[in-house]
Amino acid sequence: MNWFTVEKIDPQTFALSEYGHWEKVRSFLLLGEKQALLIDTGLGIGDIYQEVRRLTALPIQTVFTHVHWDHIGGGKSFENIGVHPDDLEWFEKGIPVWDTESVKKELMRDLSQELPSEFSLDSFELFTGKTTWLLEDGERLDLGGRQIDVLHTPGHSPGHVSFFDQTKGYLFRETFSIRRKHQSTPIILQRIRQRYSIR
C-alpha cells in the first residue's frame, strides 16, 4: 500500500496527502512547461521524491510554506530548496522546542495506515539543511507558462509563506484551504486583497 494518496486537482496540479498520520499533511506538486514546484515535503515517512518522480521528469524546485518538522521531513531528497529568511535559522539548525525523540513520538501517534516497509523509526533524524535561495515577499516563480507569487504570511511561523498561482487562481498554504480557523488566515486574506486589489 502506498503511503501517499495522490489527488489530481487538475492535469498540472497534484496534492500528495499523508492521510495515514493524524496530521493529514499535504504537499503540493505544480507542473509548468519547464519546471516543477514542490510545496512542502511532508513528514519524512514515505519517499516523496519517488512519488514526485512518478508524476514528472521535470527539474524540481522545492519550497516550504514553513519549516516545522511535519512539512520538511522529506527535504533531504531535494537539492534546489527555497525558504523565507525568517525561517532560515530554524531550517539550518532546527527548532529548539522539537528534538528527534519528541518528533518520533508524534510520528507514531494515531496512525491509521501501515508504515512503508522502507521507513525506519530507529534511523529517523529531524531534517535540517541548506537553502539554494531565500524566498522573498512578492517574488514570482516562473515554471514556464505558469507564474507563482510568493506571499509572506507570518503567523504559523515567522517565515510562513503562501503561494498564489497566477495562472490557475489557486492559493497554496500548508493546508490549501483558507476556510478553517488558523492564526495566519487573516494575514493571508489581507495580503491577497492588497496585492491583487480585491475588496
Side-chain angles (χ1 to χ4, degrees):
M1 179 181 231
N2 195 342
W3 176 253
F4 293 97
T5 300
V6 177
E7 299 162 291
K8 187 176 182 179
I9 297 168
D10 67 38
Q12 292 82 38
T13 311
F14 300 87
L16 289 76
S17 302
E18 299 181 72
Y19 291 135
H21 188 268
W22 67 272
E23 289 255 8
K24 313 291 187 218
V25 173
R26 281 184 170 175
S27 302
F28 297 96
L29 179 65
L30 285 56
L31 306 181
E33 295 167 4
K34 298 179 180 177
Q35 295 272 337
L37 183 70
L38 179 63
I39 301 173
D40 293 340
T41 60
L43 296 160
I45 291 176
D47 188 341
I48 196 167
Y49 179 81
Q50 290 304 319
E51 205 61 51
V52 167
R53 279 294 169 230
R54 282 186 193 70
L55 297 167
T56 184
L58 288 168
I60 304 164
Q61 293 180 327
T62 304
V63 292
F64 294 112
T65 56
H66 63 297
V67 300
H68 291 171
W69 62 269
D70 52 335
H71 290 267
I72 66 170
K76 65 181 181 287
S77 300
F78 299 92
E79 295 177 358
N80 192 3
I81 295 175
V83 302
H84 190 274
D86 291 348
D87 271 4
L88 181 61
E89 185 174 350
W90 284 356
F91 183 69
E92 292 181 342
K93 298 178 182 175
I95 299 175
V97 297
W98 287 106
D99 60 40
T100 298
E101 291 309 310
S102 299
V103 170
K104 283 182 179 181
K105 289 177 186 170
E106 291 297 310
L107 283 174
M108 296 298 102
R109 195 178 103 187
D110 298 329
L111 293 172
S112 60
Q113 186 175 325
E114 189 174 320
L115 292 169
S117 57
E118 67 270 13
F119 177 73
S120 167
L121 188 63
D122 291 336
S123 61
F124 177 84
E125 292 289 334
L126 282 172
F127 174 67
T128 55
K130 297 288 183 191
T131 61
T132 311
W133 87 99
L134 295 175
L135 297 171
E136 296 296 336
D137 183 52
E139 180 179 356
R140 181 162 289 172
L141 308 176
D142 185 357
L143 307 182
R146 192 170 187 181
Q147 309 290 322
I148 312 298
D149 288 351
V150 177
L151 302 171
H152 183 214
T153 52
H156 191 56
S157 78
H160 185 281
V161 291
S162 300
F163 300 92
F164 183 68
D165 186 336
Q166 283 273 358
T167 309
K168 295 182 180 282
Y170 299 143
L171 174 69
F172 297 92
R173 49 167 276 189
E174 80 276 4
T175 56
F176 191 58
S177 169
I178 59 172
R179 291 177 303 198
R180 111 181 163 158
K181 277 192 171 181
H182 194 283
Q183 61 208 68
S184 59
T185 298
I187 296 168
I188 293 169
L189 293 173
Q190 178 186 25
R191 296 305 312 277
I192 290 170
R193 289 184 183 114
Q194 289 171 344
R195 179 71 48 82
Y196 303 104
S197 301
I198 299 170
R199 294 177 193 255

